[in-house]
Amino acid sequence: MRLDMDLLVSVVTLFFAALLQDLIPVTPSFPVKIGFLTAVALYAALAKPVWVALTVAVWAGGLTDALGGLPLLCTPCFLLVIYGLVRLMHRVFLEATLVQGMLLVAVAAVAQTVWTRLWVATGQPFFTWHTLKLLGYAVPAGMAAGLAGFAVCGLADRVSGIVKPVKEGNGILWAETNR
Amino acid sequence: MKQAKLWVWLLVFSLGALVFWRAGVCDFSREALYPYENAKIWLERAVWVRVQAVFSRARQASRSATLEREVARLQIVAAEAEALGAEVDRLRALLDFPPPPACRWQAAPVLSRGGTAAVWQSLRLAKGSLHGIRKGDPVVVPEGVVGRVSDVSPHTSEVMLVTDPNSRVACEVETPGEGVGVVRGILYGGGSSPTADDPTLTLLYVVDPLRLRYLAREFEPAPRTRVITSGLGQTFPKGLTVGYVLESQLEPNGLSREASVMPAVDMAAVDEVFVLSREGGSRAP
């Protein structure tokens, strides 16, 4: 049976994203987590086939909830909604590039903070100075996650052979032109 | 086509697991990361500490001498405590009091803080049900109370910190002595104190102050008064330090008093904690 490289790459990238996201601690001076799992799910939404991207979104969300003590389905639902929006925008302008990835994950991080806080609402006032501060911190955290996530996922796709190098006009790979 | 079918099955299976096997998914995720997170701790202890020791031999030698003196002093304290324990046992027997539950403190290193979401204020420890830790066990450090175990897997356990907005601890204020009696209240985790957004407090304290509610309205505790566990909640033993009073005011209904409390422990700096396991005792659900 041939190994599905998408499966292998997805499992490995999700695992390391979860490990890093879990290990990097929040501090009083930077009180938000860097959402590597969200970045991996958004990369999959832009660069992978439909069923792969949906499964990665559910796995990334499930890991975020299971390791973060959130109600399961909170983040998977968010990532599935985001997946729909991203696929719509993908038809118009979005690509899985580093810059667009950074901006996309930054926006998604802010939306995820709002979504999660509303989902686990504890009856305390939502629109407080503290929440606004968290949303502000979510932007650089999302940009960092987007940069790292899109770079590593793109590299993993190229190394595993999922993404083939672009051929020049004469049908010869760019990497083979100097042989 | 075959590949697409595999992914559809994986998606359906994953969604099913999230809906119907919640506890299993949480335990599985934590256990999958445990060896790698534990490896980081092992690296810090086995390698980094030794590398540091090479560069700071002199400092280590002086520290070692200090620690030896401290051990000698603690041996005397332990002997005194043992004598006092024997006396307490004898008096309890005379008064027909039931013996206190047998307890066991065990050290546990901190694997991670806040999980992957950082919505709750929590720690993950590198010890779990296989080490005898159960849901509801109190977690402390020498400075004071850290929190309580909120979830357990075989090798790891989640701790809800006392600073989490969902935390409640039965406490009392150390009173000056005669004429005041015992002043008890319930300590709430920080988050929505009226003074929490005060910029002066934000500069001085890294976390929102805790709130000690339902205190007797007549007693106004002085700033820096120690707040200790009252032992009434059945989770924490009596007398553990939780924090220190910053200020107090009457609650809006005027029936009781509320105090802002600074936690005794700097949660961001905790690397190792102690879990109190009660052998044979019952635990909170």
Side-chain angles (χ1 to χ4, degrees):
Chain A
M1 189 182 144
R2 199 166 65 83
L3 180 68
D4 186 343
M5 286 312 285
D6 266 330
L7 181 61
L8 183 68
V9 168
S10 301
V11 169
V12 170
T13 48
L14 280 172
F15 179 80
F16 281 104
L19 190 62
L20 267 183
Q21 191 167 327
D22 201 50
L23 277 179
I24 296 175
V26 288
T27 60
S29 52
F30 197 80
V32 294
K33 282 277 179 177
I34 301 178
F36 295 111
L37 285 165
T38 305
V40 173
L42 289 178
Y43 176 85
L46 284 172
K48 306 268 181 185
V50 179
W51 294 109
V52 179
L54 285 172
T55 312
V56 169
V58 170
W59 284 352
L63 279 170
T64 307
D65 292 351
L67 294 167
L70 297 173
L72 293 185
L73 294 180
C74 165
T75 314
C77 288
F78 168 77
L79 289 177
L80 290 176
V81 170
I82 286 286
Y83 168 82
L85 295 174
V86 166
R87 287 305 269 218
L88 280 178
M89 287 191 283
H90 183 44
R91 292 182 183 179
V92 188
F93 68 97
L94 263 182
E95 296 291 338
T97 60
L98 278 186
V99 176
Q100 293 193 25
M102 275 170 63
L103 297 176
L104 179 64
V105 180
V107 173
V110 173
Q112 188 174 357
T113 306
V114 175
W115 177 285
T116 309
R117 299 269 152 183
L118 288 175
W119 191 293
V120 298
T122 51
Q124 292 177 354
F126 178 77
F127 291 102
T128 59
W129 175 240
H130 178 67
T131 313
L132 281 177
K133 215 160 62 174
L134 284 184
L135 295 181
Y137 281 116
V139 175
M143 289 176 84
L147 182 66
F150 275 61
V152 171
C153 290
L155 183 69
D157 274 357
R158 277 192 292 278
V159 169
S160 62
I162 294 171
V163 173
K164 301 279 187 294
V166 180
K167 289 185 175 180
E168 298 296 306
N170 54 8
I172 299 169
L173 291 179
W174 179 84
E176 294 169 351
T177 50
N178 60 348
R179 285 187 187 169
Chain B
M1 191 63 202
K2 213 174 181 181
Q3 300 288 353
K5 218 177 202 177
L6 166 79
W7 282 98
V8 173
W9 276 113
L10 277 175
L11 179 60
V12 171
F13 174 77
S14 311
L15 280 171
L18 287 181
V19 174
F20 297 111
W21 197 43
R22 187 188 188 286
V25 170
C26 292
D27 281 1
F28 178 78
S29 312
R30 286 205 291 266
E31 288 294 310
L33 294 191
Y34 164 72
Y36 302 91
E37 292 182 330
N38 210 25
K40 181 192 143 238
I41 291 173
W42 178 83
L43 272 175
E44 277 173 5
R45 287 183 173 179
V47 180
W48 181 238
V49 170
R50 282 179 195 169
V51 170
Q52 280 182 318
V54 170
F55 293 103
S56 58
R57 283 250 169 96
R59 207 174 59 201
Q60 290 296 327
S62 90
R63 186 165 166 72
S64 160
T66 312
L67 285 174
E68 274 172 21
R69 280 197 296 275
E70 183 69 10
V71 167
R73 189 184 70 79
L74 287 175
Q75 276 171 341
I76 297 167
V77 172
E80 284 173 356
E82 207 171 314
L84 280 173
E87 191 178 341
V88 168
D89 285 347
R90 189 174 56 80
L91 291 172
R92 288 183 85 103
L94 282 176
L95 293 169
D96 232 6
F97 276 18
C103 298
R104 175 165 72 98
W105 294 101
Q106 54 177 321
V110 174
L111 282 180
S112 69
R113 295 160 207 278
T116 47
V119 172
W120 313 122
Q121 296 192 25
S122 63
L123 297 176
R124 187 171 309 134
L125 307 180
K127 282 192 178 167
S129 56
L130 290 179
H131 305 91
I133 292 175
R134 283 179 293 176
K135 202 171 166 177
D137 282 347
V139 179
V140 302
V141 289
E143 293 81 29
V145 174
V146 173
R148 78 181 76 179
V149 175
S150 60
D151 204 1
V152 189
S153 72
H155 291 99
T156 67
S157 46
E158 293 283 327
V159 177
M160 179 168 72
L161 302 179
V162 285
T163 50
D164 188 279
N166 293 312
S167 168
R168 307 281 184 270
V169 183
C171 288
E172 63 185 52
V173 180
E174 262 192 347
T175 49
E178 288 171 24
V180 180
V182 182
V183 180
R184 294 199 177 104
I186 298 175
L187 190 76
Y188 285 66
S192 61
S193 155
T195 55
D197 287 337
D198 186 332
T200 319
L201 282 177
T202 311
L203 282 175
L204 283 172
Y205 308 112
V206 289
V207 291
D208 292 337
L210 313 175
R211 289 175 301 144
L212 184 59
R213 299 184 64 190
Y214 311 119
L215 295 171
R217 56 170 289 162
E218 296 80 19
F219 176 66
E220 188 174 352
R224 291 191 288 280
T225 304
R226 196 162 72 115
V227 177
I228 57 174
T229 52
S230 65
L232 293 178
Q234 299 293 315
T235 300
F236 295 95
K238 186 177 164 68
L240 298 174
T241 307
V242 184
Y244 299 90
V245 171
L246 294 169
E247 59 178 353
S248 73
Q249 65 272 326
L250 285 178
E251 295 212 35
N253 58 21
L255 296 174
S256 55
R257 186 169 284 280
E258 175 181 327
S260 302
V261 175
M262 178 66 189
V265 180
D266 178 6
M267 304 297 176
V270 171
D271 284 328
E272 191 149 45
V273 297
F274 294 94
V275 184
L276 173 66
S277 309
R278 270 178 216 179
E279 290 156 356
S282 59
R283 273 280 154 257

